[in-house]
Amino acid sequence: PKMKEDNCLHAALICLGLGVLCYSHAVAAEKLNHTRPSLHGHHEKGIEGQVLHRSKRGWVWNQFFVIEEYTGPDPVLVGRLHSDIDSGDGNIKYILSGEGAGIIFVIDDKSGNIHATKTLDREERAQYTLTAQAVDRNTNRPLEPPSEFIVKVQDINDNPPEFLHENYHANVPERSNVGTSVIQVTASDADDPTYGNSAKLVYSILEGQPYFSVEAQTGIIRTALPNMDREAKEEYHVVIQAKDMGGHMGGLSGTTKVTITLTDVNDNPPKFPQSVYQMSVSEAAVPGEEVGRVKAKDPDIGENGLVAYSIIDGDGMDMFEITTDYETQEGVVKLKKLLDYETKKSYSLKVEAANVHIDPKFISNGPFKDTVTVKIAVEDADEPPVFLKPSYVFEVQENAASGTVVGKVHAKDPDAANSAIRYSIDRHTDLERYFSINAEDGNIKAIKALDREEMAWHNISVFAVEVHKQHQEAKVPVAIKVVDVNDNAPKFAAAYEAFVCENARSNQQFITVSADDKDDSANGPRFIFSLPPEIIHNPNFTLRDNRDNTASVLVRREGFSRQKQDLYLLPIVISDGGVPPLSSTNTLTIRVCGCDSNGSLLSCNAEAYVLNAGLSTGALIAILACIVILLVIVVLFVTLKRQKKEPLIVFEEEDVRENIITYDDEGGGEEDTEAFDIATLQNPDGINGFIPRKDIKPEYQYMPRPGLRPAPNSVDVDDFINTRIQEADNDPTAPPYDSIQIYGYEGRGSVAGSLSSLESATTDSDLDYDYLQNWGPRFKKLADLYGSKDTFDDDS
């Protein structure tokens, strides 16, 4: 049937083409018959009255038509050109030019017939513009002006519709109303929409009924059934067809596939798959431990399937809690408090599961929640011993005798077996081993003397273990308070040292003392201050108890003297308020000091009293200034006196030769350089570069001579010099460094000899200095020193 339909269609198209061709020939012939060449034409007036002649066209046509996709054996005759000046003698030649001329379209230059030599496709090119002209065959002279004409390609239905996409994907909420728009599909046809119905499309659904429908003219797909349930079927495959020719028989068609997915809405409440859940938990479980899980099923997905769990009733609401695991959508039952199998062996809970997000459009389907009963059985566990109290506090007096009972702890086995308990002390908390415990009854005893002042509290830990199950143990803290007894006497709070002025007035307070007691406040303050009975009538000081744990010391008499006594020791008795009361005697050191009129301390030394007795500070400064001035005067006097004596005895390091040259030259003055020959002072022994040294220390040691003794410390310079000369002459070990560098060589054979004092007092010298007595008073000192040898020997 399909082949027959195609053959009929092909025959119809051929007939249609032939009809169009015949019609074109008839129209062209009619037009050619009605056109005749005019040699004179029509007259028109031009500018300035000039007559213009317009030649009348000998042949006129508008357009030709040729059918596309022609597959016949011969070329298609498009049309015929003919001019009425053509007499048929073959002198006129027809020329064709323009689009496709000579390639697609050819013309018979004698008859003017135009043929199409190739198959044309309207979708590639819809029309061609050509130019025709008649010329003289011999001269090629145009006989008529060229004229344009159009060859239109006549469309046939040779292109099927095509969709923009081969596959479409769309979503629509489940339970949507009938007619809800899902998606619009669009197809296009390449045929000419202005000619016939070749491009007129009609949409239809081939697959997807009865769930969806499509609008024939627009291609919009809509829902066709109500209450489509995603949980029943989530995805649908729809096939849409687009057909041209208005959908009539013989039209071409194209199809596309549309995948439609139903999106979820919250249209299902959660449901528990069972009505009762059975769970169990050990009584040894700790709070926060998971007991079990429940799960309500909700076929919805995403946030529509979120479920929250809660406990709404039951006797275990205080013992258990439930949380939501949003990854698995389960309710997790956890332990909230410790359990005791011996107290309660089972619990019951009522758990509710409810949707978190509820769609108001489906509220009528509710309620969106469900409940279930959870029964929890408590399992017995081997528990450690339990003390009757979470902690213990005991008291014991300090200095209690060894073996004194401090207190008793008690623990029991909570299990049904009620095993025996043994007690022990954690020695890490009692390193000094002050306490012991009876392993059977839990009595704690003190085995060492306790001192509250050393440690007021003892914190120990006691273990309790089952006799037959050593791994089951319990631990409890025990705090032991050491109760104070009055075993410490009060003492001074500090090492006091008081100062009293010499001019202190009677009953004048000069110090306040306080006390300190190591005992507790019950055995300490209030403190009582007093003087010992033997000095209660002390003439110097008295004591006043201020009744606030302090006491003031006052002066009983007026006037103290550091010269007579500068230190007093005052014993003070301090008693506490304990039972029985304790007391101690403390000594207060009191120093007597000098003070000014305002009572400010100046000095507390006895020497200071002697120096400034009866004198003020200004007077002392004046005395010191006078002493300094006197010392300066004495020093100046001694200095001037020495300067006067020094010229008699030469001690300075002077060059004697300069003195001789300057003062002993009686020649012609400074310009007379021949008056003194300096060569006479040159030492002939040093010509060869060797000068004997006299400062070499001798090999033997000097032994002091028994007759020599140092001169007394006297102001007489002569005696001092003589003594030192004698010591130097008799001491060969002392090199004369000072003399070697001062005196130069003075020549040989001098009558007067050397003036040096070296060896001047030795017994080996034969020089006679008696002539110095005749040199006048300026040399009297030298004469006395060197002139009287016998006198010096007698004195030695």
Side-chain angles (χ1 to χ4, degrees):
K2 184 176 181 182
M3 183 179 298
K4 183 177 182 181
E5 180 181 351
D6 292 341
N7 293 332
C8 294
L9 177 62
H10 185 65
L13 291 176
I14 294 175
C15 293
L16 178 62
L18 294 176
V20 172
L21 180 61
C22 294
Y23 174 75
S24 300
H25 289 174
V27 172
E30 183 180 359
K31 290 180 178 179
L32 290 175
N33 293 330
H34 285 81
T35 58
R36 293 287 184 270
S38 177
L39 299 176
H40 303 283
H42 178 72
H43 297 273
E44 291 183 359
K45 292 184 178 180
I47 301 174
E48 297 179 355
Q50 181 180 0
V51 178
L52 300 177
H53 298 276
R54 183 175 66 181
S55 299
K56 187 175 182 181
R57 199 174 295 220
W59 42 279
V60 177
W61 58 89
N62 291 327
Q63 58 186 5
F64 291 144
F65 295 89
V66 60
I67 192 168
E68 67 170 338
E69 303 293 345
Y70 176 73
T71 60
D74 299 325
V76 178
L77 177 63
V78 177
R80 181 180 181 186
L81 299 179
H82 183 74
S83 176
D84 54 1
I85 63 174
D86 186 4
S87 58
D89 55 2
N91 292 327
I92 296 178
K93 180 181 180 181
Y94 296 97
I95 299 174
L96 184 66
S97 63
E99 298 174 348
I103 300 175
I104 299 176
F105 302 100
V106 295
I107 188 170
D108 188 346
D109 59 354
K110 292 182 179 181
S111 63
N113 292 333
I114 302 173
H115 291 83
T117 61
K118 292 184 178 182
T119 302
L120 302 181
D121 189 357
R122 191 202 66 83
E123 285 71 36
E124 293 183 1
R125 193 178 185 96
Q127 66 182 19
Y128 297 86
T129 302
L130 300 173
T131 302
Q133 191 174 17
V135 299
D136 187 274
R137 183 178 296 277
N138 298 320
T139 62
N140 287 330
R141 180 178 60 86
L143 299 179
E144 289 187 8
S147 180
E148 288 185 354
F149 66 95
I150 297 174
V151 177
K152 285 190 174 182
V153 180
Q154 190 71 44
D155 182 49
I156 63 173
N157 189 17
D158 59 343
N159 291 283
E162 293 183 359
F163 284 93
L164 299 180
H165 303 285
E166 183 178 355
N167 293 288
Y168 288 85
H169 295 273
N171 298 321
V172 64
E174 64 174 332
R175 299 187 181 277
S176 296
N177 296 328
V178 175
T180 301
S181 176
V182 179
I183 191 175
Q184 183 178 12
V185 295
T186 304
S188 62
D189 196 321
D191 292 328
D192 188 2
T194 62
Y195 180 77
N197 294 327
S198 298
K200 185 178 181 180
L201 304 181
V202 174
Y203 298 95
S204 61
I205 183 168
L206 300 182
E207 295 180 13
Q209 297 98 341
Y211 306 103
F212 299 96
S213 64
V214 62
E215 292 183 357
Q217 304 301 324
T218 61
I220 297 176
I221 301 175
R222 299 182 182 275
T223 57
L225 283 181
N227 299 324
M228 285 191 292
D229 191 2
R230 184 200 66 83
E231 289 73 30
K233 185 176 183 180
E234 183 177 4
E235 192 172 82
Y236 295 84
H237 298 282
V238 179
V239 177
I240 303 296
Q241 174 185 268
K243 189 174 183 180
D244 58 13
M245 299 298 292
H248 294 94
M249 182 180 296
L252 303 179
S253 64
T255 60
T256 185
K257 293 181 179 180
V258 182
T259 302
I260 301 175
T261 303
L262 297 182
T263 58
D264 184 61
V265 297
N266 190 9
D267 58 341
N268 295 282
K271 291 291 183 180
F272 284 104
Q274 58 196 70
S275 59
V276 178
Y277 283 87
Q278 299 287 344
M279 300 181 183
S280 62
V281 60
S282 173
E283 64 173 336
V286 297
E289 186 173 336
E290 180 178 331
V291 178
R293 294 185 174 224
V294 297
K295 184 175 183 179
K297 295 183 178 180
D298 191 332
D300 296 323
I301 60 175
E303 66 176 12
N304 297 318
L306 294 180
V307 179
Y309 298 88
S310 60
I311 300 175
I312 59 175
D313 197 7
D315 57 359
M317 294 183 63
D318 296 333
M319 306 301 294
F320 300 92
E321 61 183 357
I322 190 169
T323 59
T324 303
D325 186 349
Y326 287 102
E327 292 184 359
T328 61
Q329 291 298 305
E330 294 177 321
V332 183
V333 181
K334 295 182 179 180
L335 183 62
K336 190 176 180 180
K337 295 181 180 180
L338 292 174
L339 301 174
D340 187 7
Y341 172 82
E342 289 72 24
T343 303
K344 189 174 178 62
K345 296 180 175 59
S346 64
Y347 294 89
S348 177
L349 302 174
K350 188 175 183 180
V351 177
E352 180 185 80
N355 280 137
V356 178
H357 303 283
I358 300 177
D359 194 339
K361 294 186 297 183
F362 304 102
I363 194 69
S364 59
N365 297 354
F368 287 84
K369 56 186 177 180
D370 193 17
T371 58
V372 71
T373 301
V374 178
K375 294 184 178 181
I376 303 174
V378 180
E379 298 176 349
D380 189 20
D382 189 8
E383 300 176 86
V386 177
F387 284 94
L388 298 184
K389 295 181 180 180
S391 62
Y392 292 87
V393 178
F394 301 127
E395 292 183 355
V396 60
Q397 286 190 346
E398 64 175 329
N399 301 325
S402 177
T404 301
V405 176
V406 176
K408 181 179 181 180
V409 297
H410 183 68
K412 65 177 183 178
D413 183 10
D415 297 325
N418 195 16
S419 300
I421 305 298
R422 292 293 181 265
Y423 303 93
S424 63
I425 295 177
D426 183 1
R427 289 306 173 185
H428 293 93
T429 60
D430 185 26
L431 297 176
E432 301 296 332
R433 296 183 178 271
Y434 287 105
F435 306 97
S436 65
I437 189 170
N438 190 308
E440 296 181 357
D441 58 12
N443 280 323
I444 300 175
K445 297 180 180 180
I447 57 177
K448 283 187 178 181
L450 303 176
D451 188 358
R452 191 202 68 85
E453 289 72 36
E454 181 179 348
M455 184 180 295
W457 286 88
H458 293 266
N459 296 303
I460 63 174
S461 297
V462 175
F463 290 111
V465 298
E466 296 181 13
V467 174
H468 301 292
K469 299 176 181 178
Q470 298 293 329
H471 64 282
Q472 295 290 357
E473 67 176 14
K475 185 178 181 180
V476 68
V478 178
I480 301 174
K481 179 181 179 181
V482 181
V483 180
D484 182 53
V485 297
N486 193 18
D487 58 347
N488 291 280
K491 296 180 181 180
F492 274 154
Y496 292 105
E497 185 176 6
F499 301 93
V500 64
C501 296
E502 289 181 307
N503 54 358
R505 300 184 304 274
S506 179
N507 292 327
Q508 179 180 349
Q509 175 183 335
F510 60 90
I511 189 173
T512 299
V513 296
S514 62
D516 196 5
D517 196 331
K518 294 182 179 179
D519 291 325
D520 196 5
S521 58
N523 293 317
R526 117 168 155 82
F527 299 122
I528 301 173
F529 298 85
S530 63
L531 295 177
E534 60 271 14
I535 62 167
I536 195 170
H537 299 293
N538 188 321
N540 299 316
F541 307 100
T542 184
L543 185 69
R544 181 180 63 201
D545 193 341
N546 297 326
R547 298 183 181 275
D548 59 354
N549 298 323
T550 63
S552 300
V553 182
L554 297 84
V555 177
R556 173 169 286 185
R557 64 180 178 85
E558 294 184 359
F560 290 89
S561 174
R562 283 180 291 170
Q563 189 175 10
K564 293 182 179 179
Q565 185 174 352
D566 62 345
L567 183 66
Y568 292 89
L569 300 177
L570 179 64
I572 298 177
V573 178
I574 307 175
S575 302
D576 57 22
V579 179
L582 296 179
S583 63
S584 65
T585 301
N586 301 264
T587 302
L588 176 65
T589 302
I590 303 173
R591 293 187 180 277
V592 180
C593 301
C595 305
D596 56 13
S597 58
N598 296 326
S600 300
L601 294 178
L602 295 178
S603 176
C604 296
N605 298 326
E607 293 79 7
Y609 173 81
V610 177
L611 290 175
N612 61 3
L615 295 177
S616 64
T617 304
L620 291 175
I621 294 174
I623 293 173
L624 292 175
C626 292
I627 293 173
V628 171
I629 292 172
L630 290 176
L631 290 175
V632 171
I633 293 174
V634 171
V635 171
L636 292 175
F637 178 76
V638 173
T639 303
L640 292 175
K641 185 175 180 182
R642 287 186 177 182
Q643 288 179 356
K644 291 181 180 180
K645 291 182 178 182
E646 281 178 358
L648 300 178
I649 302 174
V650 181
F651 284 101
E652 296 180 355
E653 294 182 0
E654 297 178 351
D655 194 348
V656 179
R657 293 176 295 176
E658 291 183 359
N659 295 334
I660 296 175
I661 295 172
T662 304
Y663 299 104
D664 296 347
D665 187 9
E666 298 180 357
E670 295 179 358
E671 296 179 358
D672 188 2
T673 57
E674 296 178 357
F676 182 77
D677 187 8
I678 195 65
T680 58
L681 298 178
Q682 297 296 332
N683 188 354
D685 297 332
I687 296 175
N688 297 326
F690 173 77
I691 299 177
R693 293 176 57 88
K694 297 181 180 182
D695 57 345
I696 299 176
K697 185 176 180 180
E699 297 180 356
Y700 63 91
Q701 298 294 327
Y702 165 70
M703 298 300 293
R705 297 175 62 183
L708 297 178
R709 55 185 173 85
N713 188 8
S714 174
V715 297
D716 191 351
V717 180
D718 297 340
D719 296 340
F720 174 76
I721 292 175
N722 291 330
T723 303
R724 291 296 182 264
I725 290 174
Q726 187 176 5
E727 291 178 356
D729 291 342
N730 295 321
D731 185 7
T733 63
Y737 297 107
D738 55 343
S739 301
I740 293 175
Q741 300 299 332
I742 294 175
Y743 301 104
Y745 180 69
E746 299 179 0
R748 296 180 178 177
S750 175
V751 178
S754 176
L755 296 178
S756 173
S757 62
L758 296 177
E759 300 181 357
S760 59
T762 57
T763 55
D764 297 336
S765 178
D766 295 335
L767 298 178
D768 185 14
Y769 298 99
D770 292 337
Y771 60 90
L772 294 176
Q773 299 291 340
N774 301 325
W775 284 17
R778 296 183 65 180
F779 295 89
K780 185 176 183 300
K781 199 63 171 178
L782 289 174
D784 294 339
L785 289 176
Y786 300 99
S788 179
K789 178 179 180 182
D790 297 334
T791 305
F792 179 79
D793 294 335
D794 295 337
D795 295 336
S796 334

